């Protein structure tokens, strides 16, 4: 039985309840005691790591219960390739397997039958085997190092950071990468490049402070030219099908970055589908890249841009930052909540729809579009828990 025993796998899936992280907390305590070398791979604060691990295993076991192996195997292989950036050793996958097995057995208690034991052993062999095998077989670099060449504070809580990598990073416009900054050891965060891949290794990120976020605060407030960053490989499948019809893009704040990269990539072609971009922020002064968007739109008639702000007036602190006003020609700014402004034009059901921004904004915009008649399968966005 083992991986064919849905009832046994269901017991294991239920053990990884994301709302009750006791199992995962005890697992890490057990693993660090069993193999002290792995503790230095993780940041001092483990809450987000534990939550992500619980969600990942809950999903993997859910897919195994449903007897769907293809997506979990692909996910685990990518996870193994990603973990090369941490310097994970093959022996550490073995101690992970042992610690996880022992912790699961203790957590399940009386429900731990011979069938559950076989399912646990075979599933953990699958999880660690796929991860370590994918890591061993990957021939590309585990990471890319680069130097910050420019840091521009474009608003009170927003910065544009430009780097030159030691070697070019291959990614598709619209993807995101994992980033490590020197101010926050052992903490990696996902950021979306705001330009297409560059053969000279140039790359650009737009970062807004997340309340309580150590990494985003360090990038916006403390990053300086000369800092050395480390990037890991790309993820995501956000893209524009040039043969798939016209496009609606909705960007909230720095959610503009991946859509900007896609627009700049499209500008290489003489003919494109029509693209209408709604770019939203709280205040007009936070629409930090309107000048670039105007320049692209002025040269490419397929692009239309609608700036949207929640408030009609800028705050007093706006005077301390660059004026974002574009020359005449860009669409007139509109006021209101971004989902409402977008859906005032209709359901956009005939468009390819791409939404980027904070999780709450993405959910609200997606729900508003579906309520207006947009087919859910035509709406794309990055994972909200990345």
């Amino acid at each position: 039985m083992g991986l064919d025993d849905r009832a046994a796998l269901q017991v294991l899936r239920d053990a990884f309840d994301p709302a009750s992280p006791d199992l995962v907390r005890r697992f890490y305590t057990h693993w660090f005691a069993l193999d002290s070398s792995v503790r230095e791979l993780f940041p001092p604060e483990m809450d987000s790591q534990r939550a992500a691990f619980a969600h990942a295993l809950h999903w993997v076991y859910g897919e195994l219960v449903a007897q769907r192996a293809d997506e979990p195997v692909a996910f685990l292989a990518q996870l193994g390739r990603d973990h090369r950036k941490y310097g994970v050793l093959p022996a550490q996958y073995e101690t992970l397997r042992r610690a996880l097995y022992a912790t699961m057995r203790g957590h399940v208690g009386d429900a731990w039958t011979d069938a559950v034991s076989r399912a646990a052993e075979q599933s953990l062999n699958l999880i660690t085997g796929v991860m370590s095998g994918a890591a061993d077989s990957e021939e590309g670099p585990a990471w890319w190092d680069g130097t910050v060449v420019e840091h521009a504070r474009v608003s009170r809580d927003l910065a544009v950071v430009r780097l030159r990598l030691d070697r070019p990073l291959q990614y598709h416009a619209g993807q995101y990468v994992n980033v490590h900054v020197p101010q926050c050891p052992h903490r990696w965060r996902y950021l979306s490049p705001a330009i297409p891949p560059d053969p000279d290794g140039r790359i650009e990120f737009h970062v807004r402070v997340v309340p309580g976020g150590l990494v985003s605060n360090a990038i916006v407030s403390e990053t300086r030219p000369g800092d050395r960053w480390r990037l890991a490989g790309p993820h995501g499948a956000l893209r524009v099908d040039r043969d798939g019809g016209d496009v609606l893009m909705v960007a909230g704040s720095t959610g503009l970055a991946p859509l900007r990269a896609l627009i700049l990539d499209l500008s290489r072609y003489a003919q494109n589908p029509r693209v209408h971009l709604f770019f939203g922020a709280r205040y007009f002064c936070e629409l930090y890249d309107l000048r670039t968007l105007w320049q692209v739109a002025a040269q490419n008639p397929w692009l239309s841009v609608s700036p949207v702000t929640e408030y009609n007036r800028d705050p007093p602190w706006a005077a301390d930052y660059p004026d974002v006003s574009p020359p005449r020609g860009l669409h007139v700014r509109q006021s209101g909540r971004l989902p409402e402004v977008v859906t005032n034009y209709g359901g956009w059901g005939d468009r390819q729809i791409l939404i980027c921004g904070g999780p709450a904004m993405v959910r609200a915009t997606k729900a508003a579009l579906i309520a207006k008649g947009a087919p859910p399968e035509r709406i794309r966005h990055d994972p909200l828990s990345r």
Side-chain angles (χ1 to χ4, degrees), residues 263-310:
I263 288 169
L264 293 177
D265 191 55
L266 289 172
S267 67
R268 298 182 298 128
Y269 301 96
Q271 294 185 338
N272 283 305
R274 290 182 301 161
V275 177
H276 195 122
L277 168 67
F278 287 88
F279 178 26
R282 295 169 301 180
Y283 303 106
F284 185 69
C285 65
E286 294 178 324
L287 297 172
Y288 60 95
D289 208 40
L290 280 185
R291 289 180 178 270
T292 301
L293 295 173
W294 179 87
Q295 291 169 357
V296 177
Q299 299 296 322
N300 296 277
W302 47 264
L303 176 64
S304 300
V305 180
S306 293
V308 180
T309 61
E310 292 185 30

Side-chain angles (χ1 to χ4, degrees), residues 54-75:
H55 277 283
L57 285 184
H58 185 77
W59 177 80
V60 167
Y61 275 107
E63 293 294 291
L64 294 179
V65 168
Q67 299 294 288
R68 294 190 296 260
D70 289 348
E71 286 194 31
V73 167
F75 168 78

Side-chain angles (χ1 to χ4, degrees), residues 32 35 56 67 76 83 109 155 158 209 214 223-224 232 242 277 280 298-299 318 327 351 362:
F32 295 160
D35 187 351
Q67 299 294 288
L76 292 166
H83 274 61
S155 184
L158 203 155
V209 169
L214 294 175
T223 295
R224 298 291 182 269
R242 294 183 58 245
L277 168 67
Q299 299 296 322
R351 304 291 181 105
V362 172

